[in-house]
Amino acid sequence: MTPKSQKWMQLPRSIAIGHGTIADTACMCAELKLDRRALIVTGRKTRKIAGESVSDILESDGFATDIAIVTNADQENIDSVTGTAENASFLIGVGGGTVIDVAKLASTQLDIPFLSVPTTASHDGIASMRASIARDGDTVSVPAQAPLGIIADTAIIARAPYRFLASGCGDLISNYTAVMDWQLAQRLRNVPYSEYAAALSQMTAQIVMDAADMIKPELEESVRLVLKALVSSGVAMSIAGSSRPASGSEHKFSHALDRIAPEPALHGEQCGVGTIMIMYLHGGNWQQIRDALRMIGAPVTARELGIPDQYIIEALVRAAEIRPERYTILGTGLTRDAAENVARITGVVG
Ligand SMILES: [Zn+2]
């Protein structure tokens, strides 16, 4: 059923972040009063990393489990999960962004709860009520249910390549420009705005910026800090009832790159570079954003993203075409000259 009220916030109910929290999976399921039939949605690699452990932990506590393997975030994979979920009373997504998105959308379609067990901390989808899915050769962000519970085991996530964690930081730092775009849209287009959501979203970006020198490879404390921020960012979106607090023109730039770049980089890496340039357009302190990302070890140039300069310019020019109803500093679009200027002045292209 669709709620009639506009002010409906859907938040995760239980959240466990820390070393070895995966061992508490059965405990959380019991606390959430979930029926004892789980379908574990996982990837080929993440099955070995954590999927099988989750299955063993649940089975030893009297749960019946099945495993569904996901290869891509598309309708075919969602259909295959819903097809195998006949006997399941809830889903557990154990893996990276693709797996979590498919589990989120499949459980929304099945109208059963879903738990999020991320194996990387690369973006804020682990806690949000939106999912990215490939459709007609494009990646679109669609509404879904928020996870009922989140189990983020820092010991597991710390073993993932550091690039993913740095990418998560890029996605978080992008909250700055997302909120600026939101405020601009509120002033110019009178779009609904939430001070609480905006404040929480800005605070998560600030915490990551302030801790930039403490975010390092192979440091579980870094993972914990980033995970807490990613969950808070998801909660900010839940409070707003939209992705506005965490997705503005820097996200449009990243989505445009996904469309046109021969080999796009990670979502959060692209959003981080986008944030540098969009902060320049807003007249803000873009150098501070760049320096924090650099200190974290996230890409700050086209070369570091592994994307040739011309695609960066093209994505800036075309970014306004993405979700055009979402008003941002890009307005109706940058001219090519303006796009070249911002990319060159901020040092993103050489
Ligand atoms: Zn994002």
Side-chain angles (χ1 to χ4, degrees), residues 70 88 110-111 120 126 131 221 226 251 278 284 340:
V70 161
L110 292 162
D111 202 17
T120 60
I126 59 176
E221 193 46 39
V226 174
H251 270 64
I278 301 297
E340 281 169 6

Side-chain angles (χ1 to χ4, degrees), residues 40 42 46-57 67 94:
I40 295 160
T42 189
T46 46
R47 174 184 188 152
K48 291 191 182 71
I49 293 166
E52 272 160 16
S53 311
V54 168
S55 170
D56 292 347
I57 289 160
I67 291 186
V94 185

Side-chain angles (χ1 to χ4, degrees), residues 50-304:
E52 272 160 16
S53 311
V54 168
S55 170
D56 292 347
I57 289 160
L58 287 175
E59 297 233 333
S60 68
D61 233 304
F63 284 78
T65 65
D66 252 322
I67 291 186
I69 301 291
V70 161
T71 50
N72 246 320
D74 55 23
Q75 195 57 45
E76 199 185 320
N77 275 271
I78 295 169
D79 291 344
S80 134
V81 169
T82 54
T84 6
E86 259 176 13
N87 298 315
S89 53
F90 67 103
L91 301 188
I92 306 187
V94 185
T98 300
V99 164
I100 303 281
D101 281 350
V102 169
K104 199 186 280 182
L105 286 167
S107 68
T108 306
Q109 278 179 22
L110 292 162
D111 202 17
I112 58 175
F114 130 80
L115 303 189
S116 172
V117 184
T119 53
T120 60
S122 60
H123 63 75
D124 57 22
I126 59 176
S128 76
M129 31 177 253
R130 293 195 78 84
S132 293
I133 173 180
R135 200 174 273 167
D136 307 326
D138 206 359
T139 306
V140 289
S141 166
V142 293
Q145 65 176 346
L148 183 62
I150 301 166
I151 296 165
D153 190 325
T154 51
I156 291 171
I157 296 168
R159 289 200 293 267
Y162 180 70
R163 186 185 170 193
F164 290 107
L165 194 75
S167 167
C169 294
D171 203 17
L172 287 161
I173 285 175
S174 78
N175 288 9
Y176 273 127
T177 44
V179 170
M180 289 167 106
D181 278 329
W182 195 14
Q183 289 168 338
L184 187 72
Q186 206 268 325
R187 290 195 292 267
L188 298 184
R189 291 289 184 276
N190 198 30
V191 303
Y193 179 75
S194 157
E195 276 142 357
Y196 285 90
L200 179 58
S201 175
Q202 279 171 324
M203 189 182 80
T204 57
Q206 186 72 50
I207 285 173
V208 173
M209 285 267 284
D210 291 347
D213 60 336
M214 291 183 290
I215 299 171
K216 294 186 171 76
E218 287 165 50
L219 195 61
E220 219 175 311
E221 193 46 39
S222 310
V223 174
R224 209 174 81 87
L225 187 137
V226 174
L227 277 169
K228 278 166 59 181
L230 290 171
V231 170
S232 299
S233 194
V235 167
M237 287 189 262
S238 283
I239 294 172
S242 110
S243 60
R244 267 286 192 185
S247 171
S249 44
E250 73 300 319
H251 270 64
K252 292 185 185 226
F253 164 74
S254 171
H255 292 309
L257 270 182
D258 287 340
R259 271 190 191 172
I260 61 172
E263 272 182 67
L266 295 176
H267 168 79
E269 293 177 328
Q270 295 183 164
C271 289
V273 171
T275 304
I276 299 170
M277 297 188 287
I278 301 297
M279 188 56 100
Y280 169 81
L281 292 177
H282 272 290
N285 191 345
W286 58 271
Q287 293 94 338
Q288 200 185 5
I289 302 283
R290 177 201 59 195
D291 295 349
L293 288 170
R294 189 176 275 158
M295 185 169 275
I296 289 165
V300 295
T301 63
R303 183 188 290 266
E304 286 168 11

